[in-house]
């Protein structure tokens, strides 16, 4: 090709081919545009955005893969590299940056985990006037949350009153707890269930206001529940919550660190928590804090903890 043009590239993704187009101008990569893919959209969108900006900034495909999405990122980078070579385009030779950085920050509270629990907690703490940092081990946000269809119970919320009208008045935390217990064949942890049933309404209203979410009645109502109480987002995807909550949180002054796997909890001589140490591909991040919020995901994959009768 001449010094300017477009190259169609195909990479092998987890779920099928990933088609993208590279724009080249004057021996420089000026765009990497995804045309088609079959990957999980919430994860793929974040990974593709980050790869695109890293490639454009570094003018190289010899850059780090995105943590938690290594196979997908390497497939894109390697096929792009091969495609430009096949077209005779010479990008400047660059060695991968190998140096590790050390960074140290001080906040009031550090939130560990960037799924819905971590994002809502972080947003809430920020709203309460705290200086908050959220640390996520992957190079993208969302955890298991990104896979779910956003269907959630709205018991006790203003949102439920708006959607279900008079019927919402009959729905109480005790009523919800009884249905959850029946649904899980009475294997559920009663204390955790109580925390959820008594706080879910307030949490739904809080995050709806914080990021301007517009929940509606869910198309699927849990058959084991004795009343309609499920709501969902217009996109039917919790990626909407993750994306909007992260944007609002950072816009209002919260800090998010990706590729930051918390490996140590710091304590003083009396055992009081004083912060955490997180490791990433290129950085050790020490966060000094008065408190930490652990929101690193559930135990759905642990048969012993969830009970042998609970299938799925
Ligand atoms: C396919 C599917 C469908 C579902 N559908 C629904 C539904 O319709 N309704 C519903 O209510 N629930 C649903 N669920 C369950 C729901 O998605 C989870 O309960 C919820 O997402 C848990 O959120 P979380 O923030 O606790 O965990 P996660 O979203 O998993 O977030 C935890 C985060 O912590 C990070 N992390 C872990 N360890 C560390 C560490 N050491 N340092 C830094 N970060 C760390 C993880 O990478 C992750 O991003 C579904 C789940 C799945 C898998």
């Amino acid at each position: 090709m001449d010094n300017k043009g477009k190259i169609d590239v195909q990479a092998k993704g987890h779920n099928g081919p990933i088609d993208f187009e590279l724009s080249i101008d004057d021996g420089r990569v000026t765009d990497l545009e995804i045309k088609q893919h079959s990957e999980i959209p919430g994860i793929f969108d974040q990974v593709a955005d980050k790869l695109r900006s890293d490639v454009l900034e570094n003018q190289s495909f010899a850059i780090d893969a995105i943590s938690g999405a290594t196979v997908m990122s390497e497939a894109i980078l390697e096929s792009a590299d091969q495609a430009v070579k096949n077209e005779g385009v010479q990008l400047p030779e660059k060695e991968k940056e190998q140096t590790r950085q050390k960074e140290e920050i001080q906040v009031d509270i550090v939130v560990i985990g960037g799924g819905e629990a971590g994002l809502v907690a972080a947003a809430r703490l920020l709203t309460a006037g705290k200086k908050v940092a959220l640390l996520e081990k992957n190079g993208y946000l969302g955890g298991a949350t990104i896979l779910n269809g956003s269907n959630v119970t709205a018991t006790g919320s203003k949102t439920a009153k708006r959607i279900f009208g008079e019927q919402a008045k009959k729905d109480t935390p005790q009523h919800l707890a009884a249905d959850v217990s029946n649904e899980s064949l009475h294997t559920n942890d009663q204390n955790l269930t109580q925390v959820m049933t008594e706080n879910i309404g307030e949490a739904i209203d809080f995050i709806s206001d914080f990021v301007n979410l517009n929940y509606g009645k869910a198309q699927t109502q849990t058959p084991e529940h004795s009343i309609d109480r499920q709501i969902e987002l217009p996109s039917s995807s919790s990626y909407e919550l993750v994306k909007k909550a992260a944007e609002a949180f950072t816009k209002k002054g919260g800090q998010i660190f990706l590729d930051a796997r918390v490996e140590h909890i710091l304590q003083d001589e009396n055992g009081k928590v004083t912060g955490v140490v997180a490791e990433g591909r290129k950085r050790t991040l020490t966060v000094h804090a008065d408190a930490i919020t652990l929101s690193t995901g559930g135990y759905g994959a642990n048969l012993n903890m969830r009970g042998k009768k609970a299938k799925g």
Side-chain angles (χ1 to χ4, degrees):
M1 88 187 285
D2 295 333
N3 233 1
K4 184 171 177 166
K6 294 190 187 288
I7 310 173
D8 289 324
V9 193
Q10 188 169 83
K12 193 163 173 262
H14 274 295
N15 302 335
I18 300 168
D19 293 322
F20 60 101
E21 183 183 79
L22 291 171
S23 299
I24 307 290
D25 192 356
D26 201 16
R28 291 176 59 80
V29 185
T30 55
D31 203 2
L32 188 165
E33 189 188 346
I34 302 295
K35 295 291 185 186
Q36 184 273 329
H37 71 90
S38 320
E39 308 302 308
I40 296 165
I43 298 174
F44 186 80
D45 294 353
Q46 295 182 70
V47 170
D49 280 356
K50 177 83 174 95
L51 283 179
R52 179 183 176 278
S53 65
D54 287 356
V55 165
L56 266 52
E57 185 188 328
N58 290 283
Q59 285 303 307
S60 171
F61 300 110
I63 55 172
D64 282 325
I66 310 298
S67 290
T70 311
V71 175
M72 192 199 300
S73 352
E74 283 179 351
I76 292 175
L77 293 169
E78 282 166 17
S79 23
D81 190 44
Q82 196 54 54
V84 293
K85 283 184 178 141
N86 291 347
E87 291 288 339
V89 177
Q90 279 283 345
L91 295 178
E93 282 293 323
K94 269 199 172 172
E95 288 292 310
K96 261 193 195 176
E97 184 76 56
Q98 297 296 354
T99 50
R100 281 190 72 77
Q101 292 175 346
K102 284 193 171 179
E103 196 176 340
E104 211 158 328
I105 61 165
Q106 172 85 49
V107 293
D108 295 324
I109 302 188
V110 57
V111 175
I112 311 171
E116 60 190 341
L119 283 162
V120 173
R124 196 115 200 218
L125 291 162
L126 191 73
T127 306
K130 302 292 181 192
K131 187 172 181 191
V132 189
L134 181 145
L135 273 50
E136 166 56 49
K137 71 176 180 186
N138 287 326
Y140 55 87
L141 289 168
T145 301
I146 226 161
L147 303 172
N148 90 42
S150 78
N151 186 320
V152 67
T153 57
T155 303
S157 63
K158 284 185 278 173
T159 310
K161 289 195 189 99
R162 171 175 62 76
I163 296 170
F164 297 105
E166 279 300 302
Q167 193 184 318
K169 288 188 188 155
K170 293 187 213 149
D171 194 14
T172 62
Q174 293 74 22
H175 193 174
L176 173 59
D179 283 350
V180 168
S181 213
N182 284 333
E183 181 189 357
S184 49
L185 306 176
H186 308 283
T187 59
N188 57 315
D189 181 306
Q190 298 300 328
N191 292 329
L192 278 181
T193 303
Q194 191 180 351
V195 169
M196 187 279 281
T197 55
E198 289 181 357
N199 292 286
I200 188 70
E202 210 182 322
I204 291 289
D205 285 339
F206 166 76
I207 199 65
S208 298
D209 289 346
F210 188 78
V211 292
N212 204 10
L213 294 177
N214 187 20
Y215 277 103
K217 182 176 176 180
Q219 288 182 27
T220 309
Q221 297 293 319
T222 307
E224 292 90 349
H225 286 212
S226 53
I227 194 168
D228 284 358
R229 55 161 75 97
Q230 309 285 133
I231 58 170
E232 68 187 2
L233 293 169
S235 61
S236 298
S237 166
S238 281
Y239 178 46
E240 183 180 342
L241 184 152
V242 168
K243 191 168 187 281
K244 290 181 175 174
E247 280 167 7
F249 174 70
T250 45
K251 200 168 163 198
K252 292 177 189 187
Q255 290 174 282
I256 294 180
F257 295 88
L258 299 177
D259 189 18
R261 175 195 289 270
V262 172
E263 295 193 352
H264 302 288
I265 292 178
L266 303 172
Q267 291 171 287
D268 68 13
E269 60 278 11
N270 300 317
K272 183 186 176 306
V273 168
T274 58
V276 299
V277 179
E279 300 291 347
R281 282 174 191 268
K282 294 260 178 67
R283 175 189 58 196
T284 298
L285 173 66
T286 303
V287 186
H288 301 284
D290 298 332
I292 63 177
T293 300
L294 272 179
S295 36
T296 51
Y299 51 80
N302 186 323
L303 195 62
N304 288 332
M305 288 180 78
R306 76 168 199 246
K308 289 192 169 42
K309 284 187 194 165
K311 298 194 178 78

